[in-house]
Amino acid sequence: MNDQTPLSHEARVEKLQGLGSSRKRVEDARFTQGKGHYVDDLKLPGMLFGDFVRSQYGHARITSINKEAALAVPGVIAVLTAADLKPLNLHYMPTLAGDVQAVLADEKVLFQGQEVAFVIAEDRYIAADAVELVEVEYEPLDPLVDPFKAMDADAPVLREDIKDKMVGAHGPRKHPNHIFFWEQGDKEGTEKALAGAEVVAEELISYQRVHPCPIETCGCVASMDKIDGKLTIWGTFQAPHAVRTVASLITNIPEHNIRIISGDIGGGFGNKVGVYPGYICAAVASIVTGRPVKWIEDRIENLTSTSFARDYHMTGKIAATRDGRITGLWCHVLADHGAFDACADPTKFPAGFFNICTGSYDIPVAYLGVDGVYTNKAPGGVAYRCSFRVTEASYFIERMIDVLARKLGMDPAEIRLKNFISKDQFPYHSALGWEYDSGDYDTALRKGMETVDYKALRAEQAKNRAAFDRGETRSLMGVGVAFFTEIVGAGPVKNCDILGLGMFDSCEIRIHPTGSAIARIGTISQGQGHATTFAQILATETGIPAADITIEEGDTDTAPYGLGTYGSRSTPVAGAATAVAGRKIRAKAQMIAAYLLEVHEDDLEWDVDRFVVKGNPEAVKTMKEIAFAAYNKAIPGLEPGLEAVSYYDPPNMTYPFGAYICVVDVDVDTGVVSTRRFYALDDCGTRINPMIIEGQVHGGLTEALAIAMGQIISYDELGNVQGGSLMDYFLPTAVETPTWETDFTITPSPHHPIGAKGVGESPNVGGVSAFSNAVNDAFAHKGLVHTQMPHDHWRVWKTAQRLGLTGQEAA
């Protein structure tokens, strides 16, 4: 097995397509040809269809449910209610946050769109028709939609199932509608810093409820084989192994008899991490009927009943000297979790990683307190393209820095540069408990400022403001500066688990005799390009061209146990597992090569795709030759084959960062905000595939635009969802999306095997603040300190009206 035509070193590097190569995505061939493998494409013999009866009330008592008319419809097999699930102890299910959630409403409904009954029929349209015939009688109750009133003495008690349980999963509860109180930092020291500060800036900063709204809604197909006792569920799961474990806990089916298959997923963004009632009802229906059951939600169901994001109300106080040096940070958060605490946060962090809220700044003392409360809204709190509440934390500190800058009369960029953690302070221990791995913040922001000619922008803005004041223009220019440090790679078992499952990840590699390979990973791609980038990691580590490496994910019968994909943990955790497994392969390959070349292992050096005898460049063994020998050469003391597995528990998180600058023009008479320029510099450590990074940044910035400039899931005083369809919920198109200008610096993570940090979430984390800061900056010279998101046309126009800029008095 000799390579016939020797290639040059450069040609071998190019053929390898390893780290740093802008390799085209291998996944796209099937997607662009309509050959994706989606859940709703699955058709099984005898398959039934499920659909939900949902509550039209935000808060009501169920007085009766009449199924007779629905059951009389030809083709309807059954109608399940909580009464049917109770004997199986399946009317409630555990959430990933340690709460319990009703699978089907038991006695009360707690949010509009809550699941009340599950209709099972021979046809999807028959099921939909039968849903309309299920008669549910309700006694309306007073709804609670304002989180600030959740713990009032006269507030209606929402969760009657736990009203007397005054100790929850995260400690004592202050009120029947209270979920947890979580605090971090030095409260006394922070209060002392505030009391003695020369300047204190204070603001209430709300991050509105939004929804990830993936292109594919949630759904599953459950199939129980009563002969072999095996339950197979195909679904839109971001964490297949965790779903299998939860399914086993709920159904008492042994875990080895449950197979979870997560194929192609049309976007996740955190929406598909949790377990939804549809999964449980489909599984129960299949177990009862012995036939496969499919459940696919429609768009309105997805927007109104699956996991929301954000809904954090953050009161901040920031202490500083008159010259802008920050001396302390105090923050209290009121977290609206809806009807059930269904967040997918690590057990020890009920508010996620919000204690990254000190951001990129060397703040000597800080305190954080978070109160979680129930309201009559859909449950959730997912990390919508961010890592466990990091977007909220970053938005909080970046808005607070701007508020402080305005109060001091300082430039927003200048105050950031003055307070950055310096390069020589890493590894840096924050006041709220994190150890930042590496960073060079000053270089990143200065590069961004130089690229956009920040001084010229401010000079232009000054001229614009003068012209506006003279009545020569009706448009105001805003320059938004945002700098973020994200915490990603949830994985260290010492401080990260969900329901007791440590957040490690895994890779299993098998090299075939002919030199191709298959690697199975514990994650699951939703568009990140894992099949492309993980193959590139392995190509560099093993010397096998990326084109000859197949990546498999999402099947619990074949993939090693892993905690899935969310919070930018794929590269920091699974990518590390992949690199380590590849190094195990190479270590064994080196022993085989030494045997074949009749030298000591230490006499060999690695060269792209082969081992070379030091001082004798003609004596080589390629990985292809070594792979074949592994299966047919009896090497003393070494077992045949070339396989490896790695379960990687990282020693720390990783901390990507970035500098974003946004320039907008605001028409005060219409409220229309036009994005003139958006510059995004990201530092994600070692760059695996620059082209895919660019695509990830473009996608994340587009979602940041959506959130900052229009997305909101709001409720009226009766608990009715407003914005529950794409007629009302803002998804940017090519018309609204500006041109993104991307850039980078490279600061490798010192503890990651390849130095990578992750990038998929970063643009959403930094982009939202940049947009919001730009809009607020446009009005800053008129005395405005802070306006709440989203900055849609109406709200921006109302801000201009309130400031007397529209020529009309504020209402």
Side-chain angles (χ1 to χ4, degrees):
M1 292 294 296
N2 292 314
D3 291 338
Q4 295 180 353
T5 306
L7 297 175
S8 68
H9 178 89
E10 293 75 14
R12 288 187 286 117
V13 170
E14 185 176 348
K15 180 181 178 182
L16 195 71
Q17 289 192 302
L19 294 178
S21 170
S22 289
R23 182 189 183 212
K24 290 184 178 180
R25 286 169 36 113
V26 300
E27 300 93 334
D28 291 345
R30 69 176 183 275
F31 294 142
T32 56
Q33 296 178 50
K35 302 295 184 181
H37 309 295
Y38 297 98
V39 175
D40 203 21
D41 295 329
L42 188 64
K43 297 177 176 62
L44 299 178
M47 188 165 67
L48 302 174
F49 297 82
D51 200 356
F52 279 111
V53 177
R54 296 181 180 274
S55 170
Q56 68 265 45
Y57 290 98
H59 193 201
R61 200 170 302 282
I62 298 173
T63 59
S64 67
I65 302 177
N66 189 332
K67 314 177 189 178
E68 291 183 8
L71 289 170
V73 175
V76 171
I77 304 299
V79 178
L80 300 178
T81 66
D84 300 304
L85 298 182
K86 274 185 180 180
L88 305 173
N89 200 30
L90 289 175
H91 58 307
Y92 275 88
M93 64 180 181
T95 72
L96 297 179
D99 197 1
V100 291
Q101 177 177 347
V103 175
L104 294 173
D106 182 27
E107 299 181 1
K108 278 178 67 174
V109 292
L110 294 171
F111 62 93
Q112 188 179 68
Q114 185 174 358
E115 300 85 353
V116 175
F118 189 65
V119 175
I120 307 152
E122 298 279 357
D123 178 271
R124 177 176 292 181
Y125 299 98
I126 293 174
D129 289 342
V131 161
E132 300 298 323
L133 298 176
V134 176
E135 299 174 3
V136 184
E137 295 291 335
Y138 297 96
E139 175 192 333
L141 301 172
D142 292 334
L144 173 63
V145 295
D146 184 348
F148 289 92
K149 297 179 180 179
M151 292 191 284
D152 288 354
D154 60 349
V157 175
L158 305 188
R159 292 289 302 278
E160 293 180 358
D161 58 307
I162 57 169
K163 65 180 180 180
D164 298 322
K165 184 181 178 183
M166 296 313 293
V167 177
H170 305 291
R173 299 169 62 216
K174 305 173 184 177
H175 183 281
N177 294 332
H178 186 240
I179 305 172
F180 65 81
F181 176 69
W182 179 63
E183 60 181 344
Q184 294 277 293
D186 181 355
K187 185 176 184 180
E188 183 178 345
T190 303
E191 290 175 346
K192 185 177 180 181
L194 289 166
E198 294 176 351
V199 177
V200 175
E202 184 173 356
E203 193 62 67
L204 170 63
I205 297 174
S206 289
Y207 200 132
Q208 76 274 17
R209 174 177 287 234
V210 293
H211 194 279
C213 199
I215 192 170
E216 179 194 23
T217 61
C218 298
C220 71
V221 175
S223 180
M224 182 70 187
D225 189 324
K226 292 193 173 183
I227 303 300
D228 63 14
K230 187 155 189 171
L231 173 65
T232 302
I233 304 177
W234 293 261
T236 51
F237 308 127
Q238 289 184 233
H241 285 95
V243 169
R244 185 184 69 183
T245 299
V246 171
S248 179
L249 292 171
I250 292 172
T251 63
N252 289 321
I253 296 174
E255 200 159 351
H256 67 276
N257 276 341
I258 299 177
R259 182 183 184 186
I260 304 296
I261 302 173
S262 189
D264 291 329
I265 300 178
F269 313 119
N271 187 228
K272 296 168 182 173
V273 174
V275 176
Y276 294 119
Y279 304 157
I280 306 303
C281 288
V284 170
S286 181
I287 292 169
V288 171
T289 63
R291 295 168 64 179
V293 176
K294 177 185 283 189
W295 166 71
I296 303 290
E297 65 182 0
D298 64 29
R299 178 59 61 189
I300 291 176
E301 289 177 308
N302 182 258
L303 280 169
T304 58
S305 63
T306 60
S307 289
F308 71 93
R310 319 303 192 238
D311 220 340
Y312 259 36
H313 307 276
M314 306 164 285
T315 301
K317 299 177 186 178
I318 193 165
T321 60
R322 288 190 180 90
D323 67 350
R325 180 69 66 181
I326 299 171
T327 57
L329 177 69
W330 183 93
C331 179
H332 178 266
V333 179
L334 186 64
D336 186 341
H337 284 252
F340 307 98
D341 185 9
C343 290
D345 290 326
T347 301
K348 298 175 184 176
F349 300 94
F353 298 156
F354 191 88
N355 53 325
I356 195 73
C357 64
T358 52
S360 310
Y361 309 102
D362 185 16
I363 300 177
V365 64
Y367 171 75
L368 166 68
V370 184
D371 279 298
V373 296
Y374 293 119
T375 60
N376 288 124
K377 301 176 185 176
V382 301
Y384 173 6
R385 199 158 186 165
C386 85
S387 180
F388 303 120
R389 302 290 188 171
V390 172
T391 294
E392 292 94 319
S394 181
Y395 181 70
F396 164 76
I397 188 61
E398 288 305 293
R399 285 300 303 130
M400 285 301 299
I401 293 291
D402 264 30
V403 169
L404 176 62
R406 306 301 179 215
K407 186 160 188 174
L408 291 170
M410 291 182 65
D411 182 89
E414 178 188 349
I415 199 168
R416 285 172 169 82
L417 290 167
K418 183 182 286 284
N419 288 282
F420 275 155
I421 301 163
S422 64
K423 184 177 181 179
D424 59 8
Q425 287 180 277
F426 291 94
Y428 175 82
H429 292 266
S430 77
L432 292 177
W434 295 115
E435 182 186 297
Y436 294 25
D437 55 357
S438 64
D440 188 356
Y441 302 160
D442 190 275
T443 296
L445 182 54
R446 290 188 187 278
K447 183 179 183 183
M449 293 170 69
E450 291 170 6
T451 303
V452 302
D453 198 346
Y454 186 75
K455 287 183 179 179
L457 285 175
R458 287 300 183 190
E460 182 186 353
Q461 184 182 49
K463 291 180 181 178
N464 165 260
R465 289 174 173 178
F468 184 88
D469 291 342
R470 293 192 300 266
E472 297 171 2
T473 179
R474 302 299 293 157
S475 178
L476 285 170
M477 176 183 175
V479 181
V481 178
F483 198 97
F484 67 91
T485 294
E486 195 182 4
I487 177 172
V488 303
V493 173
K494 62 185 178 183
N495 56 16
C496 280
D497 74 278
I498 291 182
L499 290 183
L501 300 172
M503 297 179 72
F504 58 86
D505 228 290
S506 55
C507 176
E508 178 186 280
I509 307 171
R510 181 172 300 158
I511 311 297
H512 305 307
T514 53
S516 63
I518 185 168
R520 295 184 170 100
I521 320 288
T523 49
I524 175 66
S525 178
Q526 306 112 46
Q528 295 91 339
H530 289 179
T532 304
T533 56
F534 284 150
Q536 290 181 256
I537 294 173
L538 282 176
T540 293
E541 298 294 344
T542 67
I544 296 173
D548 294 335
I549 301 172
T550 295
I551 302 296
E552 282 190 3
E553 302 174 292
D555 187 337
T556 59
D557 267 14
T558 58
Y561 203 104
L563 269 291
T565 300
Y566 41 87
S568 243
R569 66 183 304 275
S570 297
T571 294
V573 189
T578 301
V580 171
R583 290 174 188 180
K584 290 180 180 180
I585 291 288
R586 196 163 80 187
K588 185 174 181 180
Q590 185 169 356
M591 290 188 279
I592 297 170
Y595 175 81
L596 296 175
L597 292 167
E598 300 180 340
V599 297
H600 191 275
E601 292 173 42
D602 293 341
D603 293 328
L604 297 176
E605 58 185 4
W606 177 249
D607 180 23
V608 184
D609 62 349
R610 63 196 60 194
F611 285 101
V612 182
V613 176
K614 295 175 184 177
N616 184 8
E618 301 301 319
V620 304
K621 286 296 175 183
T622 67
M623 276 299 295
K624 193 168 186 178
E625 292 171 317
I626 293 167
F628 197 81
Y631 288 89
N632 75 359
K633 297 287 185 182
I635 301 173
L638 196 66
E639 65 183 21
L642 199 53
E643 301 180 2
V645 63
S646 172
Y647 284 83
Y648 184 78
D649 179 15
N652 189 13
M653 312 286 189
T654 59
Y655 295 79
F657 59 90
Y660 289 2
I661 299 174
C662 176
V663 184
V664 300
D665 295 296
V666 178
D667 186 322
V668 298
D669 294 317
T670 63
V672 172
V673 178
S674 302
T675 303
R676 186 195 306 181
R677 187 174 188 182
F678 198 106
Y679 170 88
L681 180 150
D682 281 278
D683 192 315
C684 60
T686 300
R687 292 160 62 84
I688 298 170
N689 184 316
M691 182 177 65
I692 285 183
I693 290 173
E694 185 111 347
Q696 287 287 293
V697 172
H698 284 190
L701 288 175
T702 304
E703 288 181 305
L705 165 72
I707 293 169
M709 309 308 289
Q711 287 189 346
I712 182 169
I713 299 289
S714 59
Y715 291 75
D716 68 15
E717 60 184 11
L718 298 177
N720 296 312
V721 182
Q722 299 173 316
S725 79
L726 295 185
M727 293 292 290
D728 307 298
Y729 192 69
F730 175 48
L731 287 188
T733 68
V735 174
E736 296 88 7
T737 304
T739 298
W740 308 116
E741 184 179 345
T742 62
D743 203 348
F744 64 93
T745 56
I746 299 175
T747 312
S749 172
H751 64 77
H752 190 279
I754 62 172
K757 292 188 174 186
V759 74
E761 321 289 359
S762 295
N764 198 332
V765 173
V768 175
S769 303
F771 277 114
S772 189
N773 284 350
V775 173
N776 278 278
D777 184 69
F779 294 114
H781 77 300
K782 293 299 182 181
L784 184 71
V785 175
H786 179 75
T787 60
Q788 306 287 1
M789 290 192 297
H791 304 296
D792 55 32
H793 301 346
W794 170 250
R795 288 176 175 84
V796 172
W797 181 83
K798 291 294 288 184
T799 296
Q801 184 192 46
R802 188 169 66 253
L803 293 170
L805 305 179
T806 63
Q808 301 179 49
E809 294 184 3

